[in-house]
Amino acid sequence: MNESQLEDLVAANRILAAHGVIDAYGHVSLRSPDNPNRYFLARSLAPERVQLEDILEYDLDSNPVDARGRESVRERFIHGEIYRARPDVMSVVHNHSPSVIPFSVTGVPMKALFHMASFIGDGLPNFEIRKVKKGSDLLVRTPELGKALAKTLGKAPASLMRGHGSVTVGENIQRSVGRSVYLEMSAIMQMQSLMLSKKITWFDAAEVKASAPVQDYKRAWPLWREKALAKAKADRA
């Protein structure tokens, strides 16, 4: 893992915070390009404050390789178990996206209505933690809960988490981050649309098929990354 790739992870934390997708909580990880059985995730720290030295390496059991006294994120099992279940995934975001949460508790499905978030398609799965553990605090603190979330996610690009937030994945970090940003935007747009009318023109299957593969966010990512790393440099000064 080279420094530029680790800087991608620093930037991803700060980008998600800047877009209001995560606040002091939430996290983003990157699978090691050198060893698919390892991933990188910041220590337990507000994402907007993450620097290079805050990045830790983990195995797929979510044990830190060399913690050096740094505290790990309690919900790191989200990342380890999704990487174990999904070899295609190179980056995972867990967030508390505020406009997405209402869809996780109302039974109203999110559907694709915005071309930047056409990956939503006909809807996303919703993780109900009660099916695995009743009376929990909704945090994915154990491998068992991480496995259950990964099973709910299946092959989807994202899953809602009832009363908690969502998890979004990608074949690269710009896609997991971009999907997280535009999932929040799409949730806002869907709520606005529902207030205007019950008759909404959703994407059809052909439009989803045509749109989703090209959503790589390659124009947005360099812009977001540059701003985030400039802010990280300024914070360090």
Side-chain angles (χ1 to χ4, degrees), residues 145-162:
L145 291 172
K147 285 182 173 71
L149 174 57
K151 184 177 180 180
T152 297
L153 174 68
K155 295 181 179 180
S159 175
L160 310 188
M161 300 168 69
R162 194 267 304 164

Side-chain angles (χ1 to χ4, degrees), residues 34-235:
D34 305 314
N35 182 348
N37 295 316
R38 297 283 179 90
Y39 69 92
F40 292 85
L41 176 72
R43 67 183 176 93
S44 184
L45 180 73
E48 196 171 0
R49 298 177 58 199
V50 170
Q51 300 279 4
L52 276 175
E53 60 268 23
D54 298 310
I55 304 298
L56 297 174
E57 185 177 5
Y58 293 87
D59 61 26
L60 294 191
D61 291 325
S62 295
N63 296 314
V65 174
D66 182 12
R68 286 179 287 162
R70 293 170 293 179
E71 182 184 357
S72 291
V73 170
R74 287 177 293 177
E75 292 190 286
R76 61 193 182 277
F77 304 102
I78 292 173
H79 303 266
E81 298 305 329
I82 288 176
Y83 287 130
R84 194 193 305 277
R86 291 278 302 271
D88 60 307
V89 167
M90 291 300 291
S91 181
V92 176
V93 174
H94 166 56
N95 61 65
H96 302 156
S97 193
S99 302
V100 173
I101 292 173
F103 290 95
S104 77
V105 298
T106 58
V108 177
M110 289 192 72
K111 297 177 68 175
L113 51 66
F114 174 37
H115 74 291
M116 296 299 287
S118 63
F119 65 86
I120 295 170
D122 283 334
L124 299 172
N126 191 10
F127 177 58
E128 175 51 88
I129 198 168
R130 288 177 186 164
K131 293 181 178 179
V132 189
K133 183 178 181 181
K134 295 184 184 297
S136 75
D137 59 4
L138 275 69
L139 300 186
V140 181
R141 297 172 178 268
T142 67
E144 179 189 20
L145 291 172
K147 285 182 173 71
L149 174 57
K151 184 177 180 180
T152 297
L153 174 68
K155 295 181 179 180
S159 175
L160 310 188
M161 300 168 69
R162 194 267 304 164
H164 185 169
S166 66
V167 62
T168 308
V169 301
E171 301 86 348
N172 50 56
I173 198 165
Q174 64 257 31
R175 183 163 272 190
S176 67
V177 171
R179 283 173 170 169
S180 299
V181 170
Y182 287 107
L183 184 65
E184 166 68 10
M185 289 186 187
S186 191
I188 294 169
M189 292 178 188
Q190 184 169 338
M191 283 190 279
Q192 291 170 333
S193 299
L194 288 168
M195 286 189 286
L196 290 171
S197 173
K198 298 301 180 185
K199 186 178 180 180
I200 299 173
T201 303
W202 309 104
F203 272 44
D204 62 26
E207 289 169 334
V208 171
K209 185 177 180 180
S211 302
V214 299
Q215 287 174 341
D216 51 24
Y217 311 109
K218 284 185 177 178
R219 186 182 298 181
W221 173 256
L223 171 67
W224 293 343
R225 186 184 191 274
E226 183 179 352
K227 287 182 176 179
L229 293 181
K231 180 67 163 56
K233 184 178 180 180
D235 289 347

